Amino acid sequence: MSLPDRIDPRPPRRIYRWDLDKTYLQTEFDSLRDLLRTAFQKAHEKQAVPGASALIRELAANGDTRLCIVSGSPKQMRSVLEEKLKLDGVVWDEFVLKDNVGNLMRGRFRALRGQVGYKLPAIMESRANAPVEAEEVLFGDDAEADAFIYSLYADMIAGRVDERVLNQILEAAAVYPDEAERVRTAWKKIPVSDPVRRIFIHLDRLTPPAHFANYGPRVVPIFNYFQAALVLLADGHLTAPQVIKIAVEMVQTAGHNIITLSNSFQDLLRRGLPLQHAAAALVQALEGPNALLQALRPVPDIISAFTKRLAALGTPPPPPPVQAVDYLDLIHHALPRTHKARKTH
């Protein structure tokens, strides 16, 4: 009996899509000085958002997953960004960067800051090559239009957006014709399904969570990645011990403690996320023997206080029902610069 020349990896059950700047990396680009500092930073000088690398590693540890990164950083930064990810122990399957030099050479100035015409075709083309049954979780931030783009993407492949509305969105977003054609071409290749389970928006700019209410409960704004880990625990993507490992890294590297993390938990419950079962699993794991908890000294007193605080929270209100998203209305709030850019160029 002959052995096969190669063994293909199993198709992913879950796909995790990440942005980089302000989602995974602590990046500043609000001024020319910020841009220059970011451009010349070495890999070891770049700082990940606390808990982000631990979260990615724990999600990957469950197997049958795919990590897809689409970043607005220029292609010229690929080597330093890849080195940074390797330093953090992050293994990726897809890594797409923006061709800003090409855009400049072709006079495509809108594309330098445009996000819809860049990210939407990139993730649509990636989905076209994914198993139809693969679930997805997406991670972005509040600095750009990630909530809008990710939610639009999810509703397009689920059949909740028609071509007429899409064309209006692409026109309002000043998307170049070739980018719009890439979106339509990839869309036609994707079987109708509803795979996007969650969209996490890291609140780098501390945007009030209520700002994202019109996107429905699928979009979850988070102030830190412990909050994302809690939701993913409730959704079945992580176990309680894995959430504890993420919390420990945040305690050891970013100055968090059990009190600040429990406040993050309370914030989610106040917003109506159904996390009671996750709370029970987490408390049980915290009370059990676990060497990791030695990093959280004084463990007994803090765990006792944390358990009491969780028990006192009671049952949260039910989450709001899934709602239709009015993208034609939201685009004017999500992409305020596009109309000016379109008139200028």
Side-chain angles (χ1 to χ4, degrees), residues 74-213:
K75 288 184 174 182
Q76 290 70 27
M77 294 184 65
R78 176 175 294 276
S79 60
V80 70
L81 292 174
E82 289 186 347
E83 184 180 350
K84 169 58 180 171
L85 292 170
K86 290 175 182 177
L87 288 173
D88 291 348
V90 172
V91 179
W92 64 92
D93 299 279
E94 298 177 14
F95 193 2
V96 180
L97 295 171
K98 205 171 191 179
D99 186 12
N100 277 339
V101 171
N103 288 326
L104 279 172
M105 296 294 291
R106 297 166 64 189
R108 295 164 64 100
F109 302 116
R110 296 199 307 270
L112 296 176
R113 293 190 65 86
Q115 293 296 312
V116 176
Y118 167 62
K119 284 190 175 179
L120 188 57
I123 58 179
M124 292 290 287
E125 289 169 349
S126 174
R127 182 67 198 183
N129 296 313
V132 66
E133 65 275 8
E135 298 181 351
E136 297 200 12
V137 176
L138 288 72
F139 298 82
D141 58 74
D142 60 344
E144 296 286 355
D146 288 342
F148 180 89
I149 295 168
Y150 289 168
S151 187
L152 174 63
Y153 160 74
D155 283 343
M156 284 177 63
I157 59 180
R160 290 188 286 265
V161 174
D162 60 36
E163 191 165 359
R164 177 189 62 84
V165 171
L166 174 64
N167 289 338
Q168 290 178 272
I169 292 170
L170 297 177
E171 181 180 1
V175 172
Y176 285 100
D178 61 322
E179 295 170 335
E181 187 56 32
R182 285 176 58 200
V183 171
R184 297 188 190 97
T185 299
W187 192 18
K188 293 175 182 176
K189 297 178 182 178
I190 301 173
V192 176
S193 61
D194 197 4
V196 178
R197 297 293 177 259
R198 292 286 183 187
I199 296 170
F200 292 103
I201 299 297
H202 178 238
L203 299 175
D204 177 80
R205 295 187 173 180
L206 302 180
T207 304
H211 177 80
F212 301 93

Side-chain angles (χ1 to χ4, degrees), residues 11 29 34 47 74 87 112 115 118 204 253 259 265 292 304 315:
F29 45 71
D34 291 337
Q47 297 295 317
L87 288 173
L112 296 176
Q115 293 296 312
Y118 167 62
D204 177 80
T253 65
I259 303 304
F265 204 142
L292 286 173
S304 176
T315 303

